[in-house]
């Protein structure tokens, strides 16, 4: 019996040690350790050809999407290197493209993006421009409630280095399909990449949107390293989103994690996670 107990204790300690090695405090995470399947070798090649990969990524976005971007991070993948970027001007969004590597050579003329990844990121940035006041209201509320309950989001560095998913800030990220709108906003953007906020508001003043395709995901963390997600805070945030009349229309999910984020995926720990999401998202018309 004693041997069994000792064995169980040793196994538990080993599991805790492994868990600790995979995760770190969200306040310290800037994307270090982030990895993609099969990318180890291409990581080294990308590092050796850093400037060439960066230039290939910048040129791809300029040529195909008429968008000037800033490259934040290069991460090797099985096919080449994933280039994480941020748009320099409005509409503001994060996304990524893939620079292929073939027989250790950078295929700078064959850069590509995953299906609709960039298009949806552009659409999310345009949506944030149109509903700027509503997003400001959401931002102000989140700043207040996270301070009240000692909650935080991801760091600005992590947001830039491993975000890559449309318009976002440290507290939430958006996933919006171009098909959400009755007008093809990406097609409009490619014709008018210099349009300002007022021009976008005018152009889409009569457009309709399917709120179920406008996904706004709150991704929050406890500040204290030893604290479980706060039930009171979680209920208050959910209730506020349900009742607020001045937040952006959309389909909201709320995730409240402990303090830990997984290094290689950039995702919050699911241990003790509090969650309001599919199939019970908060729909705001």
């Amino acid at each position: 019996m004693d041997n069994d107990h000792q064995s169980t204790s040793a196994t538990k300690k080993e599991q805790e040690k492994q868990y600790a090695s995979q995760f770190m405090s969200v306040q310290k995470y800037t994307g270090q350790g982030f990895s993609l399947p099969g990318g180890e070798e291409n990581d080294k090649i990308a590092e050796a050809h850093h400037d060439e990969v960066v230039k290939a990524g910048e040129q791809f976005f300029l040529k195909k999407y008429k968008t000037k971007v800033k490259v934040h991070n290069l991460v090797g993948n099985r096919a080449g290197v994933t280039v994480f970027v941020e748009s320099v001007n409005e509409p503001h969004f994060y996304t990524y493209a893939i620079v292929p590597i073939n027989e250790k050579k950078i295929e700078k003329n064959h850069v590509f993006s995953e299906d609709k990844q960039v298009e949806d990121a552009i659409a999310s940035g345009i949506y944030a421009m149109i509903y700027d006041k509503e997003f400001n209201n959401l931002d102000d509320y989140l700043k207040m409630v996270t301070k009240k309950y000692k909650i935080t989001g991801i760091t600005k560095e992590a947001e830039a280095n491993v975000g890559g998913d449309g318009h976002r800030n440290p507290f939430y990220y958006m996933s919006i399909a171009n098909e959400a709108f009755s007008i093809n906003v990406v097609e409009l953007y490619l014709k008018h990449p210099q349009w300002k906020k007022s021009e976008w508001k005018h152009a889409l003043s009569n457009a309709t949107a399917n709120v179920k395709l406008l996904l706004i995901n709150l991704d929050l963390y406890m500040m204290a390293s030893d604290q479980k997600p706060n039930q009171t805070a979680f209920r208050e945030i959910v209730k506020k989103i349900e009742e607020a009349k001045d937040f952006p229309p959309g389909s909201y999910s709320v995730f409240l994690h402990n303090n830990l984020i997984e290094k290689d995926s950039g995702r919050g720990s699911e241990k003790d996670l509090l969650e309001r999401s599919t199939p019970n998202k908060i729909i705001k018309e």
Side-chain angles (χ1 to χ4, degrees):
M1 192 74 174
D2 286 345
N3 286 342
D4 287 345
H5 179 71
Q6 286 174 355
S7 177
T8 303
S9 297
T11 303
K12 192 176 179 183
K13 282 182 181 176
E14 205 51 47
Q15 287 173 342
E16 287 173 353
K17 189 178 178 183
Q18 187 179 0
Y19 181 80
S21 70
Q22 292 173 333
F23 291 85
M24 69 184 298
S25 170
V26 69
Q27 291 103 312
K28 295 178 181 176
Y29 184 69
T30 61
Q32 63 271 50
F34 184 86
S35 62
L36 295 168
E40 296 84 358
E41 190 60 36
N42 284 335
D43 255 333
K44 297 170 189 171
I45 296 169
E47 193 176 332
H49 298 270
H50 179 272
D51 292 349
E52 189 180 352
V53 174
V54 167
K55 189 175 180 182
E58 290 172 341
Q59 289 299 314
F60 169 76
F61 283 98
L62 209 52
K63 188 176 179 181
K64 185 169 182 179
Y65 295 104
K66 299 182 181 178
T67 300
K68 189 176 181 182
V69 299
K70 179 179 182 181
V71 174
H72 286 292
N73 196 18
L74 308 178
V75 180
N77 62 56
R78 198 172 276 112
V81 56
T82 300
V83 182
F84 286 91
V85 305
E86 175 184 5
S87 62
V88 172
N89 303 306
E90 285 196 299
H92 181 255
F93 58 89
Y94 295 92
T95 189
Y96 59 85
I98 296 163
V99 178
I101 295 175
N102 188 18
E103 295 181 352
K104 299 188 177 182
K105 290 183 180 178
I106 309 299
E107 299 279 353
K108 57 188 176 185
N109 295 321
H110 295 93
V111 182
F112 65 96
S113 56
E114 293 185 340
D115 186 39
K116 297 184 179 178
Q117 168 68 30
V118 179
E119 287 81 358
D120 292 354
I122 291 169
S124 73
I126 292 168
Y127 184 67
M129 287 173 77
I130 296 166
Y131 284 93
D132 56 336
K133 290 179 183 175
E134 290 82 357
F135 275 102
N136 285 337
N137 293 334
L138 176 61
D139 293 348
D140 288 344
Y141 169 70
L142 289 173
K143 286 172 189 172
M144 181 279 294
V145 77
T146 52
K147 187 175 181 182
K148 176 181 176 181
Y149 288 106
K150 293 184 170 56
I151 290 171
T152 188
I154 64 170
T155 63
K156 291 292 287 182
E157 293 84 359
E159 185 184 333
N161 289 333
V162 300
D165 43 22
H167 179 78
R168 67 170 302 151
N169 69 17
F171 297 126
Y172 58 81
Y173 61 94
M174 295 170 61
S175 178
I176 292 181
N178 187 34
E179 292 80 8
F181 301 95
S182 58
I183 294 173
N184 189 323
V185 295
V186 175
E187 201 174 273
L188 261 183
Y189 174 76
L190 294 176
K191 288 179 182 174
H192 309 283
Q194 305 302 324
W195 268 4
K196 303 298 182 191
K197 192 177 294 183
S198 59
E199 292 165 306
W200 275 111
K201 287 186 175 185
H202 177 72
L204 298 181
S205 58
N206 294 318
T208 56
N210 181 348
V211 292
K212 290 183 179 178
L213 297 179
L214 306 173
L215 309 181
I216 302 172
N217 306 289
L218 275 63
D219 203 32
L220 306 169
Y221 298 78
M222 301 308 299
M223 277 188 181
S225 60
D226 58 349
Q227 191 176 3
K228 289 184 178 181
N230 186 316
Q231 292 269 7
T232 303
F234 179 76
R235 286 194 293 267
E236 182 176 322
I237 292 166
V238 167
K239 188 167 186 279
K240 177 67 175 179
I241 293 170
E242 287 176 331
E243 296 176 353
K245 306 293 185 191
D246 56 355
F247 287 178
S251 179
Y252 286 74
S253 295
V254 183
F255 303 91
L256 182 56
H257 306 269
N258 58 24
N259 180 251
L260 299 175
I261 191 167
E262 190 174 29
K263 297 174 192 174
D264 64 358
S265 71
R267 296 193 190 100
S269 168
E270 294 189 1
K271 192 176 182 182
D272 304 315
L273 172 67
L274 298 178
E275 174 182 356
R276 171 78 182 269
S277 61
T278 306
N280 193 26
K281 293 183 178 183
I282 305 165
I283 306 296
K284 297 191 73 64
E285 301 285 350

